[in-house]
Amino acid sequence: LGLTGCSKASKQDCQKAADNLLNLTIEQHLKDHPKAQQALRKKAFASQAAKIKDDFVKDCEGEPAEKVDCIINARSLDDIDKCRKNY
């Protein structure tokens, strides 16, 4: 059966969603800092990113595919909040 409303997210889609979430979080965090500090802060955040991504992917697998697709296509953290609330 091809019930689209019941499809679950794959690990690959969860990884894409995690990458987008991390990138948007980094962008949001860095935008208020001077350019000179951004590279250092980005490097510091990146050191924690692998664990954050792993945790997200574990929690994400099995979530509705529509929710995960929404996170993959989000262009801001506000968009991600809407994805989480609407699905």
Side-chain angles (χ1 to χ4, degrees), residues 28-38 41:
Q28 179 70 32
H29 179 71
L30 294 181
K31 76 176 189 170
D32 296 328
H33 295 283
K35 293 276 185 199
Q37 292 180 3
Q38 288 183 6
R41 290 184 178 274

Side-chain angles (χ1 to χ4, degrees), residues 9-81:
S10 68
K11 183 174 184 175
Q12 183 179 13
D13 285 342
C14 288
Q15 289 171 335
K16 289 178 188 176
D19 287 338
N20 193 38
L21 175 60
L22 285 170
N23 288 336
L24 292 172
T25 301
I26 290 169
E27 285 176 17
Q28 179 70 32
H29 179 71
L30 294 181
K31 76 176 189 170
D32 296 328
H33 295 283
K35 293 276 185 199
Q37 292 180 3
Q38 288 183 6
L40 291 174
R41 290 184 178 274
K42 190 171 186 177
K43 187 175 180 179
F45 190 82
S47 68
Q48 300 172 14
K51 171 132 177 56
I52 293 167
K53 182 176 177 177
D54 287 346
D55 289 346
F56 179 91
V57 171
K58 286 177 191 171
D59 291 342
C60 168
E61 284 184 88
E63 287 287 326
E66 295 84 359
K67 178 180 181 179
V68 177
D69 287 342
C70 183
I71 294 171
I72 290 169
N73 294 307
R75 298 290 170 239
S76 69
L77 293 178
D78 287 338
D79 289 346
I80 288 178
D81 286 341

